Amino acid sequence: MGDDLDRLERLSTDELRERAFSLARHRWDVQFFWRLLRSIPAAEAAAGHLEASEAGIATASARVSEALSAEGDPEVQEALRPLYIAYLSEHGDG
């Protein structure tokens, strides 16, 4: 498992996101996407976007689109790396 985790850590954030999304779609894993959406405000804060992290439920639709988009903020995507790695490691795509 350590080797798999090391291999995942070496992947780019874009590759991790694509792999995690593909696996979650294949598994019909709505919980992964829900966990990802819940994590976006914290990822935005970690990326220094405090005003965005304070946004409420009114922006939920935009957050869904952004979370599922490869064109989202690179700093936010980078902050979501641990979720992609944990998901792929947990479900055997290492």
Side-chain angles (χ1 to χ4, degrees):
M1 181 159 183
D3 290 339
D4 290 342
L5 189 56
D6 288 340
R7 194 160 40 104
L8 288 172
E9 288 282 356
R10 287 191 299 270
L11 295 174
S12 71
T13 300
D14 288 340
E15 180 68 18
L16 288 170
R17 182 188 52 252
E18 290 302 317
R19 285 185 181 206
F21 280 23
S22 178
L23 181 59
R25 282 190 299 265
H26 176 75
R27 298 179 74 242
W28 291 71
D29 193 345
V30 174
Q31 287 184 345
F32 168 74
F33 291 110
W34 180 244
R35 186 172 18 159
L36 188 66
L37 290 173
R38 288 191 335 246
S39 299
I40 288 174
E44 287 175 331
H49 305 297
L50 298 179
E51 69 286 347
S53 70
E54 295 172 357
I57 193 69
T59 61
S61 176
R63 291 188 185 282
V64 170
S65 295
E66 184 177 338
L68 299 178
S69 171
E71 294 80 34
D73 185 317
E75 292 170 332
V76 172
Q77 293 298 329
E78 192 67 26
L80 293 171
R81 277 181 63 88
L83 284 176
Y84 301 142
I85 290 171
Y87 184 75
L88 292 167
S89 180
E90 179 181 338
H91 295 289
D93 189 34

